[in-house]
Amino acid sequence: MTAASTSTGAGRWHALRPWLGVAVRLGLAAVWLFAGATKVGDLPASGRAVNAYQVMPYDLATVIGAALPFVELALGVLLLAGLATRLVAGVSAALLVVFIAGIASAWARGLAIDCGCFGSGGQLAAGQAPTYLPEILRDLGFLALAGFLLIWPRTPFALDGWLAGEPPVEDEDE
């Protein structure tokens, strides 16, 4: 590989990265907004979904289940606006690691539950099989999006840079 081709590749990445960041930020925002919106209308069901993992007392599970949709909606709104992007990406990553660990734990313990990630969740009906591997792989993909934003939080059309009075992302030196 020549220096010119390496420089051209770096130049393309420098030009593409901010726009890829917008897609990542908006994609992860959509995930959180959808996840929160599917649960916020039935908070008791969200609590039952958390309780189905059998890792904490019922009362704590119902409180966490009731709060979780609001946390997800807040993360989605903040990412949509591009506000506190690195912090939100970090919280997103931490939450996704907890979700992945919870699903893996349920799988390892032989529980037959729906993860409740995008709906009510809870115990599966007789004859229904859990889909743990696709759920874990999906959440690993979302974790990769959060990781991207942890490394490159500045994106066009985000309030972060505008509030800080910083130049547009395209003009920054990396």
Side-chain angles (χ1 to χ4, degrees):
M1 188 177 270
T2 66
S5 65
T6 303
S7 174
T8 303
R12 274 191 232 136
W13 170 249
H14 184 73
L16 177 64
R17 201 257 333 129
W19 300 105
L20 182 58
V22 170
V24 167
R25 182 171 54 84
L26 296 179
L28 193 55
V31 167
W32 288 129
L33 290 170
F34 183 71
T38 60
K39 292 179 240 174
V40 76
D42 191 356
L43 298 179
S46 183
R48 287 189 300 275
V50 172
N51 187 58
Y53 285 89
Q54 301 175 14
V55 293
M56 62 189 76
Y58 176 79
D59 290 339
L60 181 58
T62 58
V63 169
I64 290 173
L68 187 58
F70 297 102
V71 171
E72 292 169 336
L73 289 170
L75 292 172
V77 168
L78 289 168
L79 284 170
L80 191 62
L83 191 58
T85 304
R86 180 170 277 146
L87 174 64
V88 174
V91 172
S92 295
L95 202 50
L96 287 161
V97 167
V98 169
F99 291 167
I100 292 164
I103 295 167
S105 170
W107 191 4
R109 291 180 292 133
L111 299 179
I113 63 172
D114 179 311
C115 75
C117 302
F118 297 101
S120 58
Q123 297 294 325
L124 291 174
Q128 284 186 309
T131 56
Y132 296 130
L133 182 59
E135 292 166 354
I136 289 170
L137 293 174
R138 178 203 59 218
D139 286 355
L140 285 170
F142 297 153
L143 182 59
L145 298 180
F148 182 98
L149 292 174
L150 276 167
I151 297 167
W152 297 290
R154 296 242 359 250
T155 62
F157 310 114
L159 292 178
D160 284 339
W162 179 76
L163 289 173
E166 296 173 356
V169 175
E170 305 84 39
D171 297 340
E172 74 181 4
D173 292 327
E174 292 198 57

